[in-house]
Amino acid sequence: MTDYGDLVGAVDQGTSSSRFLIFSTKDARLVTFHQQEIEQKYPNEGWCEEDPMEILQSVKTCMKEALTKLQQLNISPDKIKCIGITNQRETTVVWDKVTGEPLYNAIVWLDARTASTVNQLIEKTECKTKDGLRSLCGLPIATYFSAVKLRWLLDNVPAVSKAAQEGRCLFGTVDSWLLWNLTGGRNGGCHITDVTNASRTMLMNIETLQWDDQLCKFFGVEKTMLPEIRSSAEVYGTLTEGPLKGLPISGILGDQQAALVGQLCFKPGQAKNTYGTGCFLLMNSGEKPVQSKNGLLTTVGYQLGPGKPAVYALEGAIAIGGACVKWLRDNLGIISTAPEIETLARKVDSTYGCYFVPAFSGLFCPYWQSDARGIICGLSQFTTKEHIARAALEAVCFQTRELLEAMAQDSGIPLRSIQVDGGMTANQLLMQLQADLMGIDVVRPAMPETTALGAAMAAGHALGVWDLEADGTQVETETFTSQIGAEERDQRFARWKEAVKRSMHWVQ
């Protein structure tokens, strides 16, 4: 029987599913896991919600089922020493601290209902631009971030404004909602978030790492409804029920920051790109925040302990990555499962001038255009579903190249290679197209679960059962190298930029 040594569990609560994964602290190996999809609701055009109770229940189910699988491997759950949490960021939950019930559905990060709220907030700034608060929080005023969603809830949902007036309303991103419930809920649950998730709200000062009086006043948010900000690796509380009752929860990282840790990007200049519902490129920028001049985000990468310095990152965020494949499956029906897109796209050797800009909820980095909408252009009678499938994959790659160029300009560090992770990296064609269209090596780990691994590493590090400096954490990789010339690459990218222009200012 394999000796895995001490084990660490990780809750990975993503946009489309919840998972509980169990890792070995000896060699970072994934021992077992369980996954459950969660439903996204689209009540209006541009809106996206999830049920906070379904999110919570799915996490509990995944923990229970993963433990059953662990026992089937003849491994005792007693080997698990702690758990970490990683989560979809910015997604906003408000709940009643007296009843423990959600006051509204969770508003998902890519929800675009707050476009008019954004315009009102921009008008309130001194410079009347979306960058009016950047110096304080590192972020532009955009539909993406939690404070804008919270402002919408306070303005438009009477149950939320009433609970806020009566001091009953608690706000949190998904990590806070889960932690509060898993540590007791209305019976003493811990209302806490970590610096990485707090840095995505627009309410935390990017320098002091505390809720900022000026920002809270600007958004009209009372600090009493906000969780306490802590580091990414410390004991926040213990599980109060279930088979792991009494186990410490000792790590929290937003999902993209967790992948930065899981990919071992501990040195300035190291970067990773995660291909999930959206795509997220993060580069370690060291212990001082770098303010972007090219539409990127300044964010906290991690803080591995209360006495440790925060390490910052520059981030490029794309709203629609894997969600584009889901749209082709669920809305158009041209594939029946997500992996089929690779088979379909391989049937043609080019898109033959077809470009797909999946701006379903506007454009994120580097444009921040909430009035953009998706387009497929360059269509002819020759165009087939195969060309559209390939154009969808190329869209992910072109968007990533835009982030890469902005990052090189902001950081002054041109990337020679990029580490990748996330569900879409199983697509060999996508990885090759990415190398072709960026002109740098794409390095994929053999074990793709680096997001959950990062949360497990932070949790284990807090308890001293995971040595982040140990060689055992190194991961096997596969490298994809560009097979096309610079002239062709730049020509195709220029056409993509033309397509992007045509997607802008569509919503009046």
Side-chain angles (χ1 to χ4, degrees):
M1 194 174 87
T2 308
D3 176 21
Y4 291 105
D6 289 335
L7 306 178
V8 176
V11 171
D12 181 358
Q13 204 301 300
T15 314
S16 55
S17 70
S18 297
R19 300 184 304 159
F20 187 68
L21 305 92
I22 300 168
F23 293 94
S24 160
T25 58
K26 280 179 76 173
D27 55 9
R29 196 181 329 178
L30 176 61
V31 180
T32 191
F33 75 98
H34 189 78
Q35 177 168 351
Q36 184 173 313
E37 285 203 8
I38 52 174
E39 183 191 357
Q40 279 103 47
K41 306 167 197 294
Y42 303 99
N44 290 300
E45 191 271 327
W47 294 31
C48 184
E49 299 175 359
E50 291 175 352
D51 177 357
M53 295 310 289
E54 184 191 353
I55 290 173
L56 176 62
Q57 197 50 53
S58 67
V59 166
K60 289 180 176 179
T61 300
C62 289
M63 290 171 77
K64 184 168 168 276
E65 294 299 327
L67 288 175
T68 300
K69 292 177 182 177
L70 191 69
Q71 287 167 320
Q72 287 165 355
L73 294 169
N74 294 318
I75 300 172
S76 166
D78 293 344
K79 300 282 280 182
I80 302 174
K81 300 305 174 190
C82 54
I83 70 168
I85 295 173
T86 183
N87 56 288
Q88 51 170 316
R89 306 168 306 165
E90 300 94 19
T91 295
T92 298
V93 187
V94 283
W95 68 97
D96 187 320
K97 70 179 179 185
V98 178
T99 66
E101 295 293 316
L103 294 162
Y104 195 78
N105 276 337
I107 300 183
V108 177
W109 57 273
L110 50 69
D111 181 285
R113 78 185 66 188
T114 53
S116 60
T117 308
V118 165
N119 293 335
Q120 290 162 17
L121 291 168
I122 287 171
E123 283 304 306
K124 271 179 68 178
T125 65
E126 274 184 40
C127 57
K128 304 226 177 327
T129 72
K130 60 179 178 278
D131 292 323
L133 303 175
R134 250 190 200 273
S135 60
L136 287 172
C137 62
L139 309 171
I141 301 171
T143 59
Y144 186 20
F145 304 109
S146 311
V148 181
K149 301 178 197 298
L150 180 55
R151 186 63 259 159
W152 185 92
L153 286 162
L154 290 164
D155 289 340
N156 293 281
V157 183
V160 176
S161 54
K162 186 170 187 288
Q165 284 162 12
E166 295 172 3
R168 291 182 288 110
C169 180
L170 294 183
F171 154 83
T173 40
V174 170
D175 57 306
S176 297
W177 166 246
L178 292 175
L179 184 71
W180 188 79
N181 280 285
L182 295 174
T183 57
R186 58 198 179 123
N187 299 312
C190 304
H191 191 213
I192 288 169
T193 189
D194 91 299
V195 286
T196 67
N197 280 293
S199 74
R200 314 298 296 184
T201 61
M202 298 202 77
L203 297 171
M204 187 188 85
N205 185 298
I206 198 70
E207 301 269 0
T208 67
L209 309 181
Q210 295 300 321
W211 301 125
D212 185 90
D213 290 337
Q214 194 177 330
L215 291 170
C216 288
K217 186 180 175 188
F218 179 86
F219 286 102
V221 170
E222 293 293 331
K223 282 189 182 179
T224 50
M225 71 171 74
L226 303 178
E228 182 187 349
I229 301 174
R230 300 268 198 94
S231 79
S232 312
E234 60 181 277
V235 177
Y236 313 106
T238 56
L239 292 163
T240 54
E241 58 177 59
L244 294 175
K245 184 178 176 181
L247 204 68
I249 301 173
S250 52
I252 298 176
L253 287 157
D255 54 7
Q256 303 314 320
Q257 285 91 337
L260 195 72
V261 172
Q263 288 268 33
L264 309 178
C265 295
F266 294 134
K267 292 178 184 163
Q270 291 184 316
K272 68 88 208 172
N273 195 32
T274 298
Y275 299 76
T277 300
C279 284
F280 303 90
L281 177 61
L282 270 74
M283 177 195 275
N284 182 323
S285 61
E287 292 178 14
K288 287 200 167 69
V290 175
Q291 291 289 354
S292 175
K293 294 181 173 59
N294 294 282
L296 299 179
L297 310 173
T298 303
T299 197
V300 178
Y302 53 84
Q303 184 188 16
L304 295 174
K308 299 288 173 66
V311 172
Y312 292 90
L314 271 172
E315 173 174 339
I318 299 164
I320 304 295
C324 185
V325 178
K326 188 171 183 280
W327 182 79
L328 292 176
R329 182 192 72 187
D330 298 347
N331 295 41
L332 295 196
I334 71 169
I335 51 174
S336 53
T337 65
E340 277 177 43
I341 194 166
E342 181 171 6
T343 311
L344 198 62
R346 279 191 184 279
K347 289 181 178 174
V348 291
D349 60 2
S350 162
T351 67
Y352 290 91
C354 175
Y355 287 82
F356 186 169
V357 182
F360 300 150
S361 48
L363 289 165
F364 280 16
C365 297
Y367 302 102
W368 298 109
Q369 293 279 338
S370 60
D371 60 0
R373 283 299 176 268
I375 60 162
I376 301 175
C377 59
L379 297 173
S380 70
Q381 286 175 307
F382 181 70
T383 309
T384 63
K385 62 183 180 182
E386 287 82 2
H387 297 113
I388 291 171
R390 195 174 181 102
L393 294 182
E394 288 194 356
V396 174
C397 303
F398 284 127
Q399 289 181 100
T400 301
R401 174 165 171 180
E402 289 183 315
L403 300 185
L404 200 74
E405 292 195 345
M407 203 156 272
Q409 287 174 324
D410 274 338
S411 67
I413 307 169
L415 286 176
R416 306 258 183 279
S417 68
I418 188 162
Q419 292 163 245
V420 299
D421 56 71
M424 285 188 88
T425 59
N427 187 319
Q428 297 276 119
L429 176 60
L430 175 70
M431 295 294 94
Q432 186 56 55
L433 286 170
Q434 188 68 89
D436 288 345
L437 294 172
M438 289 199 305
I440 63 173
D441 288 352
V442 172
V443 183
R444 179 178 69 183
M447 198 285 289
E449 303 296 351
T450 51
T451 298
L453 176 62
M457 288 164 65
H461 176 68
L463 262 74
V465 296
W466 200 306
D467 182 1
L468 296 185
E469 310 299 320
D471 292 338
T473 309
Q474 302 304 318
V475 287
E476 291 176 45
T477 59
E478 180 181 359
T479 301
F480 296 82
T481 304
S482 177
Q483 294 174 357
I484 67 171
E487 190 179 348
E488 181 190 343
R489 179 182 308 121
D490 293 343
Q491 228 166 23
R492 286 161 69 180
F493 187 54
R495 294 297 288 161
W496 159 263
K497 300 280 259 189
E498 283 298 317
V500 170
K501 278 184 201 165
R502 286 161 168 75
S503 77
M504 289 185 183
H505 313 300
W506 191 261
V507 179
Q508 298 302 316

